[in-house]
Amino acid sequence: MTDVEMKPADEKREEKKTEEEKKPIPLTPVAEIKANAALIERAVATFEPRFTHRVLRSLTHLRKRLDDTVLRDAINETYPSDSPSKKAMLSWLPEATVEQSMDIDSTSQPPKQPQPEPVPEVEIYLRLLILHHLLTSQANYPKAMKLAHETIDKMQSLNRRSMDPIAAKVWYAVERTYELVGDLADARPHFLAAQRTAALRHDDETEASLINRILRSYLQYNLYDQADKLISKTSFPTAAGNPQHARYHYYLGRIKAVQLNYTAAHTNLQQAIRRAPPAKTAPGFYQAVHKLTIVVELLMGDIPERSLFRHPVLEKALAGYFEIVKAVRNGSLSQFQNTLSKYAAEFEADKTYTLIVRLRQNVIKTGIRRLSLSYSRISLRDICLKLHLDSEEDAEYIVGKAIRDGVIDGRIVHENGWMECGSQKGGYGPEVSDVFARRIAYCLELHNQSVKMSCACEMSRRANTCRSSPRVTLRFFVAMRYPLNAHRKELAAAEGAREREKELAKEIQEGGDLDDEGPDLGERF
Amino acid sequence: MAPPQLVQLYRELQQVFTSGNLQQTGVLLTRLKIALTQAGLLVLLGNPDPQDLVIARDILEVGAFWSIRTKDIPSFDRYFSQLQTFYNDFSSVLPPSPREYPLRGLNLIRLLTQNRIADFHTTLESLPLRADALTGNPYIAHPINLEQWLMEGSYSKVWNAREEAPAEEYKFFVDSLMGTIRNEIASCEEAAYDSLPLKDAATLLFFKNQSEVLAFARERGWQVDLTAAKITFAKKTEEKVEIQKEKLILADLHYARELEQIV
């Protein structure tokens, strides 16, 4: 049901995105950086972090179009000629050759009138761009490292709240630098110290980013204990953006899965999927989360849906997992072992190998279950043959365990060496109501999370799209999947949007009043 | 550099430990721990010399083995957590220890016998080995196999593997492991059989003679019919389940509240 309904929304989103992407093409990177600098100025002047957010949203695609000349020009044009920060920043870029600089002079006229010095946020932003640019070539890694440290020091000494969103991104770049240089572990003390500071300053964005950085660094080195302790000692800021939440939930899911707490892991992974950016925008994350989710689902005894493996983004990446799912579904140990050895390298790279090895017992259980459903009496010897077990003796123990664990309902008659399968239990009783209660709790949780998310989404959009009724958007969690940069034009309407936004927030708090949405309810669940 | 007295004691410890004198080892270990603390090597201070660290590590390793031989599990736990610093944080500075993996394996078995499966898996994940190399290391492969067999219920394999321990110390855990398995099997039998001949029960539970079975049966409260040589398991009657009214009411109220918020 939800699938069908989500499709049109998805398509619309795609359209909007392509529209959006077509527009900025005429802008040269230099012009874009300049415009961004202006936006940051404005953000600082008006205490409006959303301008900064908009600037940072363009970071990903801007990053790909950077080169030395672009950066040099951008710095030259935003800063007055005798600014010390300008010189400091230019020193990170190679000297311009004469030919190039002539070129620049002819195309862009240097402003004649003396410019005021831009706010420090702009400098950090430009440094972030330089850092990303330096990371594109291996020769520049040492330089990037130095720049990263200098930038961190600068950021921390400035201590400006208006800088927080940029700072969060800088920390990401710092992590990337350390990782590319190859000693991610060395960065951990920096992150931990900065995380403490950020928490004290209520700098939510940076704190969220840093917690994720630290978790990632722990998991990279398989330090699950420490990661678990970190989680129990910190609280993830709820005001953080969806992408950070998605990452956090993914890491949580990983840790819980290792600790055999599959139900909790599954909940976290579901959250991660829901909060993640659309599949086409961030395919890597989408694939990684799904890989883990499939394994966890299997460990819980569920079989993932077939349609998942037909998803265009996932189909190829999940090939190995699909084979595993098939093996588990058939309860065939030999098929499982073959698949495991065939895709071992892949699973190892995904860090799911040890989790998949744990599936072995599930394969056996499924096998026994299938047998118990199809036979009313079967000899232990046949079970042993059918499931490729090593000995009849083992088969007896395994079947015994399966009966005790409630996988099957039956008895073993030892004297005759066979298993008798009992009839299926009736579908009523306290267990059933427990299962039902769990399901309802899950649905309610899903709904509440979605409301929260679309609410957060509204906040960040501050847009005037949902003119009709804010509740309409809140109602459906598809809403949260709108790309964040869907609206650029309403700079002027910002004030009005904020007003509406406040109303909206109020309405959410009041929990909404009764209206005629009753019949819809049935469809959603 | 470590004080000469410490080195002297360390030499002595090595000799005594290889000769197998447990009591003397214990005495020496206590003295060495004091000496290590004085030299700032037990709780690491400053930037110690790698050579000293190797000595400290060796002493702790001997301590860990000694704890297992004297069957003092909490003491093993302490030694092992101290050793983890050496294994994890100084792995780039120190030459690898030949006793590292036997000890890590022992730690895994300890977790297994204490039925701390979640900790077992967490520890397994954090081993500095590639996942497919785990089975290649005999010390680690042993606990991994044991865990797998225990989980799927191949108890006879566990039983047969008890003599195949890669190191002498592993056998110290066998007894408690066997106790765990017997209880597991017994609970399976209670669920899976109506009755079982005494002789077969003995083989299933890995007992050598009937009197052991009888003692075990008494412990678990099984009815033994000696004339027919049969054990009958008390059939679990379909006991009347009380419907927890309060819980249901609470749940319903909760749903009502949630629905109110949605609509």
Side-chain angles (χ1 to χ4, degrees), chain A residues 6-22:
Chain A
M6 270 169 83
K7 253 181 202 151
D10 270 314
E11 275 161 24
K12 234 194 278 170
R13 203 179 57 221
E14 290 307 320
E15 276 169 27
K16 243 185 222 155
K17 243 183 60 188
T18 44
E19 248 174 67
E20 285 293 320
E21 268 164 9
K22 263 177 218 152

Side-chain angles (χ1 to χ4, degrees), chain A residues 493-507:
Chain A
E495 271 317 299
R498 281 184 78 190
E499 212 59 60
R500 228 164 288 127
E501 149 78 62
K502 266 185 205 150
E503 265 170 50
L504 174 69
K506 212 170 143 207
E507 251 173 304

Side-chain angles (χ1 to χ4, degrees), chain A residues 36-50:
Chain A
N36 282 343
L39 275 176
I40 295 176
E41 290 269 359
R42 191 168 175 168
V44 176
T46 56
F47 300 109
E48 265 293 18
R50 88 195 142 93

Side-chain angles (χ1 to χ4, degrees), chain A residues 221-225 258-260 333 337 344-345 348 351 353-355 357-358 360-361 364-365 389-391 393-394 396-405 410-415 425 430-431 433-434 436-438 440-441 444 447-448 475 511-515 517-518 521 524-525, chain B residues 88 117-119 121-132 134-135 144 147-157 160 183-185 187-197 200 203-206 230 235 238 241-244 247-248 251 254-255 258-263:
Chain A
Y221 290 92
N222 289 330
L223 300 169
Y224 289 93
D225 266 346
V258 167
Q259 294 172 336
L260 295 117
L333 259 189
Q337 287 299 357
E348 172 69 20
K351 291 203 167 204
Y353 187 87
T354 39
L355 288 178
V357 172
R358 289 188 207 165
R360 210 183 119 89
Q361 72 216 43
I364 295 177
K365 273 186 196 162
L389 300 174
D390 293 341
S391 68
E393 217 183 349
D394 272 338
E396 187 165 351
Y397 287 123
I398 292 172
V399 171
K401 194 172 151 64
I403 293 174
R404 190 201 54 176
D405 294 345
R411 324 240 109 231
I412 301 175
V413 182
H414 186 85
E415 294 88 331
K425 268 192 201 148
E431 315 90 81
S433 96
D434 273 350
F436 191 52
R438 269 211 299 281
I440 296 176
L444 288 174
H447 177 268
N448 286 341
R475 261 195 332 173
D513 44 357
L514 291 163
D515 60 8
E517 291 166 16
L521 192 70
R524 251 178 295 142
F525 284 93
Chain B
N88 295 333
I117 305 293
D119 287 333
H121 281 288
T122 321
T123 319
L124 201 60
E125 292 279 344
S126 43
L127 285 181
L129 283 176
R130 284 174 53 81
D132 44 356
L134 286 176
T135 40
I144 291 183
E147 194 266 350
Q148 212 169 66
W149 292 329
L150 277 177
M151 282 303 127
E152 65 187 39
S154 314
Y155 297 120
S156 64
K157 281 191 190 146
N160 295 332
N183 280 322
E184 281 279 305
I185 299 176
S187 70
C188 290
E189 285 178 355
E190 281 164 18
Y193 299 88
D194 291 328
S195 68
L196 197 62
D200 295 329
T203 31
L204 282 173
L205 288 164
F206 310 111
K230 249 186 177 183
K235 231 191 169 329
E238 289 283 315
V241 236
E242 196 75 23
I243 292 177
Q244 293 158 311
K247 207 175 111 193
L248 282 178
H254 177 66
Y255 300 152
E258 292 279 348
L259 276 178
E260 187 86 340
Q261 274 178 12
I262 293 168
V263 183

Side-chain angles (χ1 to χ4, degrees), chain B residues 150-171:
Chain B
L150 277 177
M151 282 303 127
E152 65 187 39
S154 314
Y155 297 120
S156 64
K157 281 191 190 146
V158 183
W159 179 255
N160 295 332
R162 77 193 189 285
E163 296 304 329
E164 296 160 13
E168 202 49 41
E169 278 77 13
Y170 281 63
K171 289 183 185 157

